[in-house]
Amino acid sequence: MNDLPESRSARPEMDLKAHIRGIADFPKPGILFYDISTLLAHGPAWQEAMNRMGDMVAARKPDVLAGIESRGFLLAAPLALHLGIGFIMLRKPRKLPGAVLGLSYALEYGEDRIEMQADAVQPGQRVILLDDLLATGGTMAAGISLLQQAGADVVGSAALIELTFLGGRSRIHVPFDALLAYDD
């Protein structure tokens, strides 16, 4: 009898979408919200998602991972730890101590801003930006621009979920990977 664990390729593929629930009319009527909290609460599904994301991210050989507040932190921090590399935070205004760099960007109905500590990346460092979900792409595109302005070599971006019907990928001008896609 062989006591070695099965290789990842020998295991049946886990359906991660089965661990993500849709919540209708949240945060406003007409929106179907893809809630990852049920995935996070299921240990084996969360581990599998992180393993798959880790494979995607490691292939681009980053020096550091950046996460967008707040659910992007849930992906980037554990993946950075697993890969043995650094993690940096892109946050809402006035949430980081010390000198910061910031970028304001347009939303569908208004404006937002994202900031990072001025010394978070070194010029030329290979960075991948992560968030939980790519919708219209505005926040991801702003985060990439901010990192580039800081001197980072943004070698990719990734999300757990991509809402393909919103076309956000077209706003991302670095390689982009998504673990799961929803077409409606």
Side-chain angles (χ1 to χ4, degrees):
M1 179 190 281
N2 186 348
D3 290 332
L4 296 175
E6 292 181 88
S7 72
R8 288 187 53 203
S9 61
R11 291 187 308 217
E13 187 84 3
M14 180 183 286
D15 178 11
L16 295 177
K17 284 185 175 182
H19 298 280
I20 296 172
R21 67 179 164 194
I23 299 179
D25 299 321
F26 183 83
K28 60 185 182 178
I31 301 291
L32 177 60
F33 183 81
Y34 291 95
D35 182 15
I36 66 168
S37 63
T38 47
L39 175 79
L40 298 172
H42 189 275
W46 178 227
Q47 181 69 52
E48 184 64 21
M50 289 296 89
N51 285 338
R52 292 183 199 174
M53 292 287 298
D55 291 346
M56 283 189 329
V57 167
R60 298 200 189 280
K61 300 181 177 21
D63 298 317
V64 65
L65 299 182
I68 297 173
E69 185 172 351
S70 66
R71 289 182 301 249
F73 295 175
L74 298 173
L75 301 174
L79 288 177
L81 182 65
H82 175 72
L83 296 173
I85 61 176
F87 163 67
I88 60 174
M89 297 176 283
L90 275 59
R91 298 208 61 191
K92 296 172 185 168
R94 297 172 302 281
K95 299 289 185 180
L96 293 167
V100 298
L101 301 173
L103 180 71
S104 295
Y105 61 100
L107 296 171
E108 189 174 351
Y109 299 106
E111 188 176 273
D112 210 344
R113 184 170 175 83
I114 194 165
E115 296 180 344
M116 62 182 275
Q117 290 177 312
D119 61 355
V121 296
Q122 301 302 311
Q125 252 186 327
R126 295 172 59 86
V127 179
I128 293 178
L129 179 60
L130 292 113
D131 205 357
D132 68 316
L133 184 134
L134 180 73
T136 62
T139 303
M140 182 75 73
I144 291 166
S145 292
L146 179 58
L147 287 162
Q148 289 171 333
Q149 288 176 18
D153 178 11
V154 182
V155 297
S157 58
L160 180 65
I161 297 170
E162 178 183 8
L163 303 181
T164 58
F165 58 94
L166 293 176
R169 186 181 286 249
S170 67
R171 298 181 69 181
I172 309 302
H173 302 294
V174 300
F176 173 77
D177 296 300
L179 190 60
L180 303 170
Y182 288 88
D183 300 322
D184 57 2

